[in-house]
Amino acid sequence: MDIVIPLFRLFEPLDAVGPYELLANVPGARVHFVAPEPGRVADVLGAMKVDVRTRYSEIESCDVLLVPGGAGARLMLNDTEFIDWVRRIHETTRFTTSVCTGALILGKAGLLKGLTATTHWMAMDDLETFGATYTAERVVRHDKILTSAGVSAGIDLALGLCALLSDELTARAIQLFTEYDPQPPYDSGSLATATPEVVARARELAAG
């Protein structure tokens, strides 16, 4: 069972590493990181660099494609070769998935047209330019296409995938093994609960 996660310059680290942590524990799963070119890929926060040995074009099929987001996802929208590869790989997958602004890449590839989908709340308008309808749900599934909201939502998506790729008992065991039992100290994790002041501060932080 091959799970492919493309990394690109300025990817959001938790988008990729969170799902990787869970999916790598699915029996029979083999997780492959791929990149535009073999070498060291730096995340958007700057401190984490991942050595990736495989160019994405070397992958002709996979069971699961998981596309992370980050500032680099927007840059990849202009990479016609990469977008064509995503579209082509989608034809071979059991599940094509995205985390955060990775949904914009699926949208650019034409995979979300006419569907409801989710992404980071700051990218909702961008998502709809690709013919999708944004929803604030944390994870959205349409047949084999799954999208998840910002950053940490990828862990929820991955846990659901664990069940789809194995069974619910295994998924629950992976949840326990990773001790995924979120109990955040604040209730500001979505636009529905965050105050206007928190939203404004989040926008300031995102702007750098």
Side-chain angles (χ1 to χ4, degrees):
M1 183 192 307
D2 292 310
I3 299 169
V4 172
I5 304 176
L7 300 183
F8 34 76
R9 186 173 66 88
L10 304 181
F11 73 95
E12 183 67 46
L14 188 58
D15 287 8
V17 176
Y20 165 58
E21 176 71 36
L22 273 68
L23 293 171
N25 284 290
V26 173
R30 297 179 298 273
V31 180
H32 308 274
F33 289 107
V34 299
E37 296 295 339
R40 188 165 292 182
V41 183
D43 77 304
V44 71
L45 301 177
M48 189 174 84
K49 297 176 175 62
V50 182
D51 286 319
V52 182
R53 300 180 179 181
T54 305
R55 192 177 193 274
Y56 67 77
S57 60
E58 297 178 42
I59 303 297
E60 297 182 352
S61 65
C62 64
D63 296 284
V64 177
L65 175 66
L66 187 143
V67 182
R74 294 182 181 276
L75 298 177
M76 295 304 291
L77 295 177
N78 299 316
D79 189 326
T80 302
E81 183 182 354
F82 177 70
I83 297 300
D84 288 345
W85 175 80
V86 169
R87 189 182 299 115
R88 186 169 64 252
I89 287 296
H90 170 66
E91 297 177 357
T92 74
T93 64
R94 289 177 59 190
F95 299 102
T96 299
T97 71
S98 66
V99 181
C100 195
T101 52
L104 302 183
I105 290 174
L106 300 191
K108 180 72 172 184
L111 306 184
L112 302 181
K113 188 173 295 184
L115 302 180
T116 55
T118 191
T119 186
H120 194 283
W121 58 272
M122 288 187 184
M124 64 176 80
D125 292 337
D126 297 315
L127 180 68
E128 295 198 331
T129 66
F130 298 115
T133 299
Y134 171 78
T135 175
E137 293 178 54
R138 196 154 170 85
V139 178
V140 178
R141 180 184 177 188
H142 290 283
D143 192 22
K144 73 173 191 172
I145 297 177
L146 291 86
T147 57
S148 58
V151 192
S152 64
I155 297 175
D156 291 355
L157 177 143
L159 188 58
L161 268 178
C162 289
L164 292 172
L165 296 171
S166 55
D167 53 67
E168 185 175 318
L169 177 61
T170 300
R172 287 178 176 272
I174 291 171
Q175 181 181 16
L176 177 60
F177 176 73
T178 56
E179 210 163 348
Y180 178 51
D181 184 25
Q183 299 174 34
Y186 307 112
D187 189 19
S188 298
S190 74
L191 288 179
T193 57
T195 65
E197 293 78 11
V198 170
V199 174
R201 181 59 175 145
R203 292 188 182 277
E204 290 174 1
L205 293 172

